[in-house]
Amino acid sequence: MEKFQLLDTVIYIGDDALDKLKTQLSTLKRVFILVDVNTLKKCLPQLEKILPEEIELHTLAITPGEQNKNIQTAILLWKQLMQLNVKRNDVLINLGGGMVSDIGAFVAATYKRGIDFINVPTTLLGMADAAIGGKAGVDFEDVKNQIGIFAHPQSVFIYPPFLETLEARQIRNGFAEIIKYSLIEKNNLWKQLQSFSFKELPNEKLIADAAKAKIEIVNKDPEEKGLRKILNYGHTIGHAFESLSLMHDKNPILHGEAIAAGMICEAWLSNQKTGLSQTDLKAICDLILKHFPKYIVPKQADEQLLEFMRQDKKNTQDKIQFSLLRAIGESKYNVSCSEQEIISALSFYRGLE
């Protein structure tokens, strides 16, 4: 069992995490759990087993998928909380992946000016990234996370066996963020990933190392005034890919798939702008393409992708800003790139075999 502290949030990682959750809930008379239709079937029964019998359980269920992380779903949840007469001293448990963590935290933090919430991530993306760090929000007008706030959970309980409920694509989805942590700061993740196989999951050490990397950064810069911006590596272009796919594809790419493609494009920009060596560029491309299929980016989509990037929250004075790499394990934030440089990065990605 690993235990970390992120500001006022306690984070437990390990096979005993649900036992810790049971202890925390033992003083409550009722509990409210947000799930999607997948975690309702596959994960909620395990959580119900650890709840004291006397606790009154209420379940709120939403439809999974990034396309449903919007203000309409938030309104639906606020209405349900009101109908259930949820008070300011009640607690909402977010049981699910990154989408559930994001919108659940947003709804809890805004309902009655804020009720406590607990994150219990069930996907690799949630465990390694989304459930940790205090960002909460929804997508708006096809732009990722355009409406949101900083709101930290009371606690986070990461139970790696939940990963056994996932299909391979969802595991890969979360793996992209672990690759990101291996690139943005010096740690032992890059070395671990050179021989990594998905057969190793659930892997408590890998999840804990990734979570620790994020926790250390967020503790130094909780509200993204400086250092925390390095967590956006791969996300400026990656979020544009994700928004484009949500608009046009019947089977949209997942967040991690988009970020994987974005990291390759932004590695090329790093080679051009911040001194990333050709050797490191090749190593990054090789590792990502080993685990992720290429996203087909039509050339005619370049202007739409640029428009999404113009809406990015990191931008200043009409300049598209990036967090790039100086080397594997060394980052630089607030790097402006021209639109022509971005188009060249997209062309580089298209040309990869």
Side-chain angles (χ1 to χ4, degrees):
M1 168 77 71
E2 294 266 14
K3 179 182 177 182
F4 300 103
Q5 189 79 32
L6 173 54
L7 303 179
D8 294 329
T9 302
V10 181
I11 299 166
Y12 298 96
I13 303 175
D15 290 353
D16 298 332
L18 295 187
D19 293 330
K20 291 289 185 182
L21 175 59
K22 178 179 180 179
T23 301
Q24 184 163 330
L25 298 178
S26 61
T27 59
L28 299 180
K29 293 183 178 179
R30 59 181 189 163
V31 67
F32 302 85
I33 301 181
L34 175 63
V35 294
D36 63 28
V37 295
N38 295 320
T39 54
L40 176 67
K41 297 175 184 176
K42 298 177 180 179
C43 302
L44 183 60
Q46 295 188 60
L47 208 61
E48 287 176 320
K49 289 177 184 177
I50 63 101
L51 292 177
E53 290 183 5
E54 61 272 19
I55 282 187
E56 182 183 316
L57 173 62
H58 299 275
T59 303
L60 298 81
I62 57 177
T63 305
E66 185 70 21
Q67 62 271 30
N68 297 302
K69 196 181 84 175
N70 53 42
I71 199 69
Q72 287 76 26
T73 303
I75 291 170
L76 174 68
L77 291 172
W78 286 321
K79 287 181 178 179
Q80 290 185 50
L81 292 176
M82 287 184 68
Q83 290 165 359
L84 291 167
N85 197 26
V86 173
K87 307 295 186 184
R88 287 192 69 181
N89 61 345
D90 284 318
V91 177
L92 178 67
I93 298 176
N94 299 316
L95 179 68
M99 181 269 200
V100 170
S101 293
D102 281 356
I103 198 167
F106 177 72
V107 166
T110 49
Y111 179 76
K112 294 186 183 294
R113 294 202 179 96
I115 63 172
D116 282 334
F117 63 97
I118 292 168
N119 287 340
V120 184
T122 61
T123 65
L124 188 59
L125 179 65
M127 293 178 188
D129 185 68
I132 301 168
K135 283 187 176 180
V138 295
D139 305 339
F140 186 69
E141 295 293 315
D142 299 315
V143 180
K144 282 275 298 180
N145 300 324
Q146 195 73 345
I147 308 297
I149 55 175
F150 287 100
H152 290 273
Q154 187 182 80
S155 46
V156 181
F157 298 88
I158 296 175
Y159 178 64
F162 275 143
L163 297 182
E164 295 169 2
T165 68
L166 300 179
E167 59 182 22
R169 189 183 180 198
Q170 283 293 344
I171 293 288
R172 189 171 65 226
N173 184 35
F175 186 62
E177 294 288 356
I178 296 177
I179 293 176
K180 179 192 75 177
Y181 294 129
S182 79
L183 295 173
I184 61 175
E185 276 204 327
K186 286 185 171 28
N187 51 50
N188 62 6
L189 281 167
W190 178 254
K191 185 176 180 181
Q192 286 185 65
L193 298 187
Q194 300 314 298
S195 58
F196 174 80
S197 166
F198 288 121
K199 294 178 182 177
E200 297 174 29
L201 292 170
N203 183 322
E204 183 178 325
K205 183 180 187 308
L206 185 69
I207 295 167
D209 285 349
K212 182 181 179 183
K214 182 169 188 178
I215 289 164
E216 289 178 347
I217 293 167
V218 176
N219 268 329
K220 294 174 184 175
D221 179 21
E223 296 189 357
E224 207 172 274
K225 305 296 185 185
L227 176 67
R228 184 172 176 165
K229 293 179 182 180
I230 69 174
L231 294 173
N232 292 310
Y233 171 67
H235 283 61
T236 302
I237 293 178
H239 274 166
F241 286 157
E242 192 174 0
S243 294
L244 181 75
S245 183
L246 284 167
M247 280 186 67
H248 298 294
D249 298 341
K250 290 183 179 179
N251 182 25
I253 58 172
L254 300 177
H255 173 76
E257 294 167 340
I259 298 311
M263 286 192 289
I264 290 179
C265 295
E266 294 182 26
W268 184 87
L269 287 172
S270 300
N271 175 254
Q272 302 294 305
K273 303 281 290 187
T274 52
L276 183 74
S277 71
Q278 196 70 29
T279 300
D280 280 356
L281 172 60
K282 184 178 185 305
I284 292 167
C285 293
D286 288 348
L287 178 66
I288 292 173
L289 292 176
K290 175 183 175 183
H291 295 288
F292 290 87
K294 275 184 64 181
Y295 173 52
I296 304 304
V297 188
K299 188 166 178 52
Q300 60 267 32
D302 283 358
E303 178 54 36
Q304 179 68 76
L305 289 168
L306 287 171
E307 182 55 36
F308 284 128
M309 289 180 233
R310 293 180 192 121
Q311 298 295 326
D312 192 278
K313 298 181 291 299
K314 300 183 296 299
N315 295 344
T316 57
Q317 299 178 341
D318 296 325
K319 293 181 179 179
I320 300 176
Q321 300 272 30
F322 289 81
S323 294
L324 300 178
L325 305 175
R326 289 192 173 103
I328 291 174
E330 187 177 347
S331 305
K332 182 178 181 180
Y333 56 86
N334 291 344
V335 181
S336 299
C337 294
S338 71
E339 294 189 357
Q340 185 54 55
E341 287 169 330
I342 296 168
I343 289 172
S344 295
L346 297 173
S347 297
F348 169 78
Y349 180 70
R350 286 192 190 97
L352 289 172
E353 302 253 333

